């Protein structure tokens, strides 16, 4: 028990709240579908574990995330005329990012400003049922995050990351085409750690 308490004190375990916005863009591998960037939001809780001597650690978050998209589908009517339909959609997720973090040591100013870099996987589990008629999405989306941040006054962390979509998020389309869709997104957040 004493060893656990000693490790926790040395390791720098902190908890906090986190909120921000995301801008996602669905990438289709088919020319009849297109999507444009749309803003959403995210918020939740996080924990950070750092090993002070080497300034390496990790953070784990549990976030509610809303991702919006505007999709454009091109179809051909019975007369051979191309038609474009625009659909605005939003999906709600529970997202769990786990990042390895390295904080740069700047002795003269690190109590005020401490920059850091991080990377790691993110797992987003869809909360909504499929409501779009033309395509159904999978329950889980996986991404790999790469980001930069700065810690201010030892409590406020402001960061920006890019998530590279790893898996195909499309379950199937109404015309049973095998179309791959990857969800890439920018996220900007602020967290307050206690």
């Amino acid at each position: 028990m004493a060893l656990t308490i000693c490790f926790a004190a040395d390791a720098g375990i902190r908890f906090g709240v986190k909120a921000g916005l995301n801008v996602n863009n669905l990438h289709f591998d088919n020319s009849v579908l297109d999507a444009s960037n749309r803003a959403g939001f995210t918020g939740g809780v996080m924990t950070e574990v750092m090993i002070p001597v080497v300034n390496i650690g990790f953070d784990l978050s549990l976030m509610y995330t809303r991702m919006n998209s505007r999709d454009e589908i091109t179809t051909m009517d019975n007369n051979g005329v191309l038609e474009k339909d625009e659909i605005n959609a939003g999906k709600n997720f529970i997202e769990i990012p786990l990042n390895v973090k390295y904080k740069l040591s700047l002795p003269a100013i690190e109590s005020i400003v401490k920059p850091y870099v991080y990377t790691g996987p993110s797992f987003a589990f869809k909360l909504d049922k499929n409501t779009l008629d033309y395509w159904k999405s999978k329950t889980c989306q996986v991404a790999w995050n790469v980001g930069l941040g700065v810690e201010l006054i030892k409590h406020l962390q402001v960061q920006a990351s890019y998530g590279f979509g790893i898996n195909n998020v499309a379950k199937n389309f109404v015309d049973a085409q095998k179309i791959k869709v990857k969800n890439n997104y920018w996220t900007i957040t602020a967290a307050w750690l206690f």
Side-chain angles (χ1 to χ4, degrees), residues 18 21-22 41-46 60-67 91-99 120-127 139-145 161-164 183 185-187 189:
K18 186 176 178 180
L21 63 93
N22 59 53
F41 56 89
T42 187
V45 294
M46 71 172 284
L60 176 68
S61 301
L62 179 64
M63 308 292 288
Y64 165 79
T65 300
R66 169 85 176 174
M67 292 190 187
K91 289 191 175 24
N92 300 297
F93 296 88
I94 292 294
E95 185 177 12
I96 304 170
L98 172 61
N99 296 302
S122 178
F123 305 92
F125 300 95
K126 188 173 65 167
L127 299 174
T139 305
C140 180
Q141 295 185 16
V142 182
W144 190 269
N145 296 323
S161 68
Y162 189 77
F164 295 92
N183 189 18
Y185 52 93
W186 284 98
T187 305
T189 58

Side-chain angles (χ1 to χ4, degrees), residues 50-57 101-105 110 114:
M50 295 299 296
I51 302 168
V53 176
V54 291
N55 289 330
I56 294 176
K101 185 182 278 185
Y102 174 70
K103 292 185 178 178
L104 298 149
S105 183
E110 70 181 15
K114 192 176 229 182

Side-chain angles (χ1 to χ4, degrees), residues 110-121:
E110 70 181 15
S111 63
I112 300 169
V113 173
K114 192 176 229 182
Y116 59 90
V117 294
Y118 63 97
T119 187

Side-chain angles (χ1 to χ4, degrees), residues 75-83:
T75 57
M76 189 175 295
D77 68 9
N78 294 335
N79 299 323
V81 177
L82 290 177
E83 295 179 339

Side-chain angles (χ1 to χ4, degrees), residues 138-168:
K138 292 183 180 173
T139 305
C140 180
Q141 295 185 16
V142 182
W144 190 269
N145 296 323
V146 177
L148 300 168
V150 63
E151 182 174 289
L152 304 168
I153 60 172
K154 294 189 178 183
H155 292 284
L156 177 64
Q157 290 186 358
V158 179
Q159 62 188 31
S161 68
Y162 189 77
F164 295 92
I166 294 175
N167 67 328
N168 179 12

Side-chain angles (χ1 to χ4, degrees), residues 3-24:
L3 183 62
T4 305
I5 293 169
C6 182
F7 174 75
D10 287 344
I13 299 174
R14 301 190 297 166
F15 300 93
V17 292
K18 186 176 178 180
L21 63 93
N22 59 53
V23 178
N24 70 309

